[in-house]
């Protein structure tokens, strides 16, 4: 669970890094806001599934930067609570497609980390194609910053 916790912390850091990048470099860019919103709203939908509450299906709705920051802080708390639970706990849920599923909590958390990384890669390619140097949110960079070797 320790390694999964590191991936969750990386995800929070990378999402925050992209929000800061957008606010400084490409604040009015609708695509970037839409994608980072999608990452956070998808996390929210999974947190709702895990909690057994009605899932908000609006996972492609662009949010303002202040809304993203608030949601990110809520997610920081959600992740912390989930990391204290049994990683093998099986969660039953229904996907937006209607497909029923059952997954271990640890697998859902791993899914959230890889889902975010996928979309952050898309955002980096998008910014680069527009001549803007994207923020570096590679996992190895996070590791060097958060746990530098002496």
């Amino acid at each position: 669970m320790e390694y999964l916790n590191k991936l969750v912390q990386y995800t929070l850091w990378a999402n925050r890094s992209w929000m800061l990048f957008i606010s400084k470099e490409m604040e009015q860019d609708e695509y970037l806001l839409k994608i980072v919103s999608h990452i956070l709203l998808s996390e929210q939908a999974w947190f709702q599934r895990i909690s057994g509450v009605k899932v908000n299906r609006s996972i492609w709705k662009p949010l303002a930067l202040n809304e993203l920051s608030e949601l990110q802080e809520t997610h920081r708390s959600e992740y912390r609570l989930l990391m204290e639970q049994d990683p093998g706990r099986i969660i039953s849920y229904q996907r937006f497609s209607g497909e029923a599923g059952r997954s271990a909590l640890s697998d859902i958390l791993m899914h959230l980390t890889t889902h975010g990384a996928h979309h952050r890669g898309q955002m980096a390619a998008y910014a680069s194609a527009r001549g803007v140097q994207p923020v570096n949110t590679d996992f190895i960079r996070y590791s060097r910053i958060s746990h530098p070797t002496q």
Side-chain angles (χ1 to χ4, degrees):
M1 196 68 163
E2 182 180 333
Y3 200 78
L4 184 56
N5 185 53
K6 189 173 183 179
L7 286 175
V8 164
Q9 295 309 310
Y10 159 70
T11 296
L12 290 164
W13 170 82
N15 288 344
R16 169 56 76 199
S17 296
W18 269 100
M19 286 185 271
L20 291 171
F21 170 83
I22 293 167
S23 72
K24 291 178 182 174
E25 302 293 332
M26 299 178 80
E27 186 172 2
Q28 302 304 317
D29 193 284
E30 292 178 18
Y31 175 81
L32 291 177
L33 286 171
K34 178 181 171 183
I35 298 302
V36 77
S37 296
H38 171 69
I39 293 169
L40 293 179
L41 290 170
S42 294
E43 287 178 356
Q44 180 183 55
W46 277 104
F47 296 152
Q48 291 166 336
R49 286 178 179 126
I50 292 166
S51 298
V53 299
K54 185 175 189 229
V55 176
N56 181 346
R57 298 174 63 91
S58 299
I59 60 171
W60 285 103
K61 175 180 133 186
L63 301 174
L65 283 169
N66 65 323
E67 294 173 300
L68 290 168
S69 292
E70 289 173 16
L71 196 53
Q72 171 84 348
E73 287 312 306
T74 300
H75 290 188
R76 185 177 303 285
S77 298
E78 290 284 344
Y79 275 123
R80 186 176 57 253
L81 291 172
L82 291 173
M83 294 305 297
E84 294 171 357
Q85 296 180 20
D86 174 11
R89 179 169 69 110
I90 301 299
I91 309 296
S92 296
Y93 55 88
Q94 186 172 15
R95 298 192 52 114
F96 293 143
S97 65
E99 171 190 9
R102 290 174 40 84
S103 298
L105 175 60
S106 60
D107 289 342
I108 293 170
L109 293 171
M110 181 62 79
H111 168 72
L112 291 176
T113 67
T114 59
H115 175 258
H118 165 76
H119 286 301
R120 288 188 299 273
Q122 290 176 323
M123 292 190 300
Y126 174 87
S128 293
R130 276 143 192 80
V132 179
Q133 179 68 38
V135 62
N136 179 353
T137 56
D138 289 345
F139 179 79
I140 199 69
R141 181 166 188 266
Y142 166 76
S143 295
R144 287 193 326 260
I145 291 169
S146 66
H147 299 93
T149 57
Q150 273 76 27

